[in-house]
Amino acid sequence: MENYGYTKTEDIHNQQSNVPYRSEKKIPAAILGILVGWLALNKFYLGYTKEGIIQLVLNVVTLGAASIIPFIEGILYLFMNDKQFDDTYVYGKKGWL
């Protein structure tokens, strides 16, 4: 069987290209935002330390009312496709909504 100049790595990559794109961080970030957003764990999980601290301070100052922000973010994460989520929040580093 000839490989027509392809390496084994290229053959494996071509076989894997049929697999749909999956984000490793989307579902955990969404769950953290929805369930424990008042602790800003979704922000810290995505690497947004400054935004996480701001979220914690907002939650204290507003007596928890600002925890609606991570809840909404968690819902938004779930409705985004995986590629869009990674492009926006993992690689694009968009800190808020």
Side-chain angles (χ1 to χ4, degrees), residues 33-49:
I34 292 168
L35 298 180
V36 288
W38 57 275
L39 292 173
L41 294 181
N42 62 321
K43 298 289 187 194
F44 293 117
Y45 178 74
L46 291 172
Y48 302 135
T49 305

Side-chain angles (χ1 to χ4, degrees), residues 14-70:
N14 288 336
Q15 291 172 356
Q16 291 176 346
S17 65
N18 293 333
V19 177
Y21 183 85
R22 298 292 299 161
S23 173
E24 295 178 6
K25 293 190 172 196
K26 178 182 151 182
I27 299 297
I31 291 170
L32 288 170
I34 292 168
L35 298 180
V36 288
W38 57 275
L39 292 173
L41 294 181
N42 62 321
K43 298 289 187 194
F44 293 117
Y45 178 74
L46 291 172
Y48 302 135
T49 305
K50 179 178 76 174
E51 289 86 350
I53 292 169
I54 291 169
Q55 182 68 51
L56 284 172
V57 170
L58 283 173
N59 287 339
V60 169
V61 169
T62 64
L63 302 175
S67 63
I68 191 71
I69 295 169

Side-chain angles (χ1 to χ4, degrees), residues 25 42-51 77 84-97:
K25 293 190 172 196
N42 62 321
K43 298 289 187 194
F44 293 117
Y45 178 74
L46 291 172
Y48 302 135
T49 305
K50 179 178 76 174
E51 289 86 350
Y77 296 165
Q84 183 183 10
F85 174 83
D86 279 354
D87 288 345
T88 305
Y89 295 104
V90 177
Y91 305 120
K93 295 292 182 187
K94 181 179 178 188
W96 298 98
L97 300 175

